[in-house]
Amino acid sequence: MSRKTNFLLFTTSFIDGLTAGFLLSPQKGTENRAWLAKNAEKAGRWATLEHYLAKQKGTSRLDRLRKSIQRRIHQNIPNLYEATETIPLSKKM
C-alpha cells in the first residue's frame, strides 16, 4: 500500500473511532460537545506548534545539506584563480 492509502485508512479509522466513542459514551451530548470544543482548541494549538517546529527542523536540515554540498564541491573543484596564478601570461619566454 502507498503512504497516501495508509494515511487515509488511519485517518478514517481514527475519525470513526471518535464518532463511535461519542455516540456510545454515557455523558450527555452537551457535555461531549463542550469537552470536544475545549480539547479541539488545545489540539489546534499543538498542531500549529508542531507544524512550526517541523518547518524549522526541515529548514535547518536543508541548510546543512546545502552547506555540505557546497563544501564538497569546493574541495573537489580547484579554485582556478589560485591554480593559474603561477602561469606567466606575458609573451616573454
Side-chain angles (χ1 to χ4, degrees):
M1 276 193 231
S2 70
R3 292 180 82 183
K4 287 181 181 180
T5 305
N6 285 340
F7 179 73
L8 182 62
L9 285 173
F10 172 76
T11 304
T12 304
S13 300
F14 181 75
I15 291 171
D16 289 346
L18 278 176
T19 304
F22 278 112
L23 290 175
L24 299 173
S25 73
Q27 296 175 334
K28 293 181 181 179
T30 54
E31 292 173 2
N32 281 337
R33 284 191 294 276
W35 180 87
L36 183 61
K38 182 178 117 182
N39 288 309
E41 188 177 322
K42 285 182 184 178
R45 285 194 304 265
W46 175 82
T48 302
L49 176 64
E50 289 299 315
H51 175 263
Y52 174 77
L53 293 174
K55 187 176 179 181
Q56 293 294 351
K57 187 176 180 181
T59 302
S60 173
R61 281 184 166 182
L62 187 61
D63 191 43
R64 282 197 317 265
L65 176 65
R66 183 183 55 79
K67 286 179 181 179
S68 175
I69 290 172
Q70 285 179 346
R71 185 174 49 252
R72 288 179 181 166
I73 286 173
H74 289 301
Q75 287 174 351
N76 293 321
I77 297 176
N79 183 342
L80 294 178
Y81 290 110
E82 290 176 4
T84 59
E85 70 184 2
T86 59
I87 297 175
L89 298 177
S90 65
K91 294 192 178 200
K92 299 177 186 177
M93 287 196 173

